[in-house]
Amino acid sequence: MKISKEIMSYCRFCNKHTKHVVRTYNKKPQRGLSLGTRRHNRAIRGYVGSIEPKIHPKKLGKKQKVMVECAQCKKTSERVVGMRTKKKIEIGR
Ligand SMILES: [Zn+2]
């Protein structure tokens, strides 16, 4: 799946369409005090090891994300490109 280096997109900080620079998505580390982490810690309290996980249906591929940076205000935001796919994103052209 190919995506161009520069795209015109809506910026929620500038409140209008501006030119955006596309970058690869880097996953941020998990926050230790987020609600999900605290809930999990509460659930495994008193046990040794992990709790039995819920069985989720298998999804076909992942949604591909990119980071877009506004050329005017230099703020970045996430953006999902396309639907669920097994292909990886190529940024170029
Ligand atoms: Zn902006």
Side-chain angles (χ1 to χ4, degrees):
M1 200 194 294
K2 282 178 184 171
I3 184 168
S4 54
K5 271 181 194 170
E6 280 185 346
I7 51 167
M8 281 294 280
S9 182
Y10 175 75
C11 176
R12 66 195 163 111
F13 303 102
C14 303
N15 201 22
K16 62 183 177 184
H17 269 74
T18 52
K19 217 172 227 178
H20 282 71
V21 179
V22 180
R23 296 224 178 85
T24 51
Y25 178 76
N26 298 316
K27 204 182 178 188
K28 283 164 195 166
Q30 281 190 340
R31 290 182 295 127
L33 288 173
S34 68
L35 180 61
T37 313
R38 282 183 281 149
R39 192 181 288 152
H40 181 73
N41 287 340
R42 221 181 299 137
I44 63 168
R45 221 171 140 194
Y47 294 94
V48 178
S50 58
I51 54 167
E52 201 172 316
K54 279 179 194 169
I55 296 164
H56 297 290
K58 236 180 192 173
K59 305 272 166 70
L60 298 168
K62 282 184 176 178
K63 284 179 183 175
Q64 301 296 324
K65 271 184 193 170
V66 287
M67 297 300 287
V68 286
E69 188 189 281
C70 178
Q72 282 185 21
C73 63
K74 302 282 177 193
K75 298 222 175 177
T76 54
S77 50
E78 290 177 12
R79 192 190 169 98
V80 175
V81 181
M83 300 296 289
R84 283 187 184 278
T85 178
K86 285 181 179 172
K87 289 176 183 172
K88 288 204 170 158
I89 281 181
E90 282 176 51
I91 299 165
R93 278 186 296 156

